[in-house]
Amino acid sequence: MEPTLRAALVVTLAATGVALTTTPATAAPTRYEAETAPASCNGTIDTNHAGFSGSGFCNAGNAVGAAAQFTVSAPTAGTARLGVRFANGTTTARPTDILVNGARVAGTTFEGTGAWTTWVTKTLTVAVTAGSTTIAFSPTTADGLANIDYLDFEVVAGGTGGNGQPNDANIQYYGRWDRSNASYYAMGWAGGYLDAQFTGSSIGVRQRNAIDLYYSVDRGPLQWRRNVSGNVTLATGLSGTTHTVRIGYRERAGSYTGDPVFGGLILAGGGQTARITRPQNFVEFIGDSITVGQPNADRPFTAYAWLTGEALGAGHTQVAQGGACLVSQDCYGMMDWFRRSSGYATTDDWNFATYQATAVVINLGTNDVGHNVSTTQFQQNYVVMLQRVRQAYPNAHIFAMATFRGRYAPETRNAVTAVGDSRVHFVDTTGWIGTADLVDSVHPNDAGHAKIAQRLTPVIDQYI
Ligand code: GCU
Ligand code: CA
């Protein structure tokens, strides 16, 4: 992504999943010099400030996203201790994202050290899986990074035995979560969820204010617990040793002001979490009420988006809201709103470095008709939308669905042709559903959603 665009998108979240400590490592870590391949430096390798180790240091460019990256080898999965040596001769701290294998796991800052020749080591911890792992420091302000000398790396604890707190590295989150409050991670948009594996005979979840939540234990059918708050027991008397749980929330949107936050798992005495596999693919669905699954009672998990994601064996989420349009003309224009962390955020605050979708499905246009968006305007703005999604997700396959009512379908197709990107695909939905598959004149019923998912799944599957 272009640094200028990223600057507009980046929000600095408080450090989560990261522990700062001054305790020196007891066992010997492996040292990776910033100037030695496969490390990469988005700038120059310099030698003009004494005191560095090896043959130089990374002076990354003064720009958002101008990163220093290390490739380390983790002997086992677990908690790794990072010792990053840096110098910052200015008096302004330089904040940075920490990316593990390209995904943002935490943030930290490189404070002023007094002089460019004064090198300091900062120690932090991140969760890693076994094998070759990239660890990048990607600055979030135009000052760029501090000068980076090396990274000491050591796995200090095994990958099992999490406590179920929101920042437990064993918990896998899907969708857009605001992690700025360490006690309660907040789900933005619809169709976000988390997966965990755990030991012990019971499982519960800590909530804050009232919310409708859905969950599944040991991959059983999803079930609702409506209007619950505080400590919520989900299952007791579980036999066997290892179990899984999935938890998601009703989206906060329209008149529904429930509190979609996750305050941690409540484990049985002696119970722990363990690492759970994260699928290789992630599909982000951008749309309106149809993509949310409104007005059906069991949305979001009866919506075509959720069903398609599941059928693909992928992670998935629904960046969608009722009434949304493509164009922001007296309407929630998703060409702008998809850059937000939630349907109630007030700025374009989502950091797309948090995760990368492998596929993005766009289903927009059904509502633009009611806002006097001309066909010319629609087509031009759809091109912009496709370009923006491409900037957010440089490698994703992007699927532009014709709306089920056929509204702006030719313009959607023309926009796909106009961008001339071999990874952008038009999806012709003609005949996928009929009037018997609708609850009103536009919204599919549960059976209609199932039909759509059946048609859409193979379209995506051939690309990812
Ligand atoms: C100075 C200094 C560099 C440093 C740069 C910066 O130019 O000599 O080593 O990287 O400031 O502000 O990033
Ligand atoms: Ca620099």
Side-chain angles (χ1 to χ4, degrees):
M1 192 185 310
E2 292 302 316
T4 45
L5 175 66
R6 267 201 75 192
L9 302 176
V10 160
V11 63
T12 307
L13 299 176
T16 54
V18 65
L20 298 176
T21 159
T22 52
T23 319
T26 43
T30 305
R31 179 157 300 172
Y32 295 88
E33 295 287 349
E35 69 275 17
T36 307
S40 63
C41 173
N42 203 332
T44 55
I45 302 300
D46 289 355
T47 54
N48 58 335
H49 300 303
F52 56 84
S53 113
S55 57
F57 58 86
C58 169
N59 169 4
N62 300 86
V64 172
Q69 178 170 294
F70 298 86
T71 301
V72 302
S73 173
T76 58
T79 303
R81 185 183 291 150
L82 309 179
V84 55
R85 191 161 186 255
F86 71 97
N88 176 359
T90 75
T91 51
T92 309
R94 297 187 172 183
T96 181
D97 284 343
I98 301 170
L99 312 180
V100 175
N101 290 331
R104 182 190 188 280
V105 297
T108 190
T109 50
F110 295 118
E111 301 83 5
T113 58
W116 290 108
T117 49
T118 302
W119 298 89
V120 167
T121 301
K122 169 164 290 215
T123 305
L124 22 101
T125 57
V126 294
V128 293
T129 49
S132 178
T133 305
T134 62
I135 295 173
F137 298 93
S138 179
T140 56
T141 71
D143 282 345
L145 278 185
N147 288 343
I148 304 290
D149 188 17
Y150 62 66
L151 180 74
D152 278 344
F153 176 85
E154 185 186 7
V155 177
V156 291
T160 54
N163 59 11
Q165 292 300 299
N167 72 350
D168 178 343
N170 289 333
I171 298 173
Q172 294 293 332
Y173 292 88
Y174 299 86
R176 299 190 183 178
W177 291 82
D178 177 351
R179 305 183 189 205
S180 57
N181 177 344
S183 306
Y184 294 100
Y185 284 6
M187 185 196 81
W189 299 108
Y193 59 96
L194 60 96
D195 280 343
Q197 190 167 178
F198 64 96
T199 60
S201 61
S202 66
I203 189 69
V205 58
R206 204 167 290 114
Q207 293 306 132
R208 193 166 53 185
N209 303 319
I211 182 67
D212 291 356
L213 73 78
Y214 49 86
Y215 72 99
S216 140
V217 174
D218 290 334
R219 300 188 174 84
L222 286 155
Q223 300 178 54
W224 283 101
R225 297 294 300 276
R226 304 266 186 191
N227 207 29
V228 290
S229 55
N231 290 350
V232 182
T233 303
L234 299 177
T236 55
L238 299 169
S239 56
T241 50
T242 305
H243 304 279
T244 65
V245 64
R246 171 171 292 190
I247 299 169
Y249 301 98
R250 178 172 172 185
E251 71 284 356
R252 190 179 135 193
S255 60
Y256 184 70
T257 54
D259 192 20
V261 296
F262 172 70
L265 297 173
I266 302 167
L267 299 161
Q272 294 185 319
T273 65
R275 192 162 290 273
I276 190 163
T277 311
R278 193 177 174 91
Q280 217 182 324
N281 286 304
F282 186 89
V283 190
E284 186 161 284
F285 295 84
I286 303 175
D288 50 33
S289 54
I290 296 175
T291 298
V292 175
Q294 290 166 341
N296 305 339
D298 288 339
R299 70 174 188 271
F301 58 84
T302 48
Y304 79 89
W306 182 290
L307 300 175
T308 303
E310 288 297 300
L312 289 164
H316 49 85
T317 200
Q318 288 142 269
V319 178
Q321 61 184 319
C325 300
L326 170 74
V327 182
S328 298
Q329 187 158 281
D330 287 327
C331 191
Y332 292 111
M334 293 306 290
M335 62 183 289
D336 302 313
W337 277 78
F338 92 98
R339 293 173 155 179
R340 299 190 176 188
S341 61
S342 73
Y344 43 93
T346 52
T347 57
D348 291 349
D349 61 341
W350 181 246
N351 180 358
F352 284 98
T354 308
Y355 63 78
Q356 282 285 299
T358 45
V360 178
V361 178
I362 304 167
N363 182 348
L364 287 168
T366 302
N367 293 321
D368 290 74
V369 166
H371 295 269
N372 300 314
V373 174
S374 73
T375 51
T376 311
Q377 223 185 332
F378 188 88
Q379 189 171 315
Q380 281 167 355
N381 283 288
Y382 212 108
V383 168
V384 175
M385 172 88 192
L386 293 172
Q387 290 166 340
R388 288 180 176 181
V389 173
R390 170 58 71 229
Q391 283 168 327
Y393 298 120
N395 301 313
H397 279 278
I398 303 169
F399 300 87
M401 295 179 77
T403 55
F404 302 116
R405 290 280 307 258
R407 291 170 180 166
Y408 305 102
E411 290 73 27
T412 303
R413 184 197 290 271
N414 293 345
V416 169
T417 307
V419 295
D421 177 331
S422 64
R423 289 177 162 242
V424 177
H425 316 280
F426 174 71
V427 183
D428 187 354
T429 62
T430 309
W432 283 17
I433 48 173
T435 42
D437 301 312
L438 300 175
V439 291
D440 48 29
S441 60
V442 277
H443 297 96
N445 54 31
D446 287 352
H449 277 286
K451 282 189 187 176
I452 296 164
Q454 218 167 18
R455 303 291 287 260
L456 184 57
T457 302
V459 173
I460 301 175
D461 197 28
Q462 60 186 313
Y463 295 106
I464 65 171

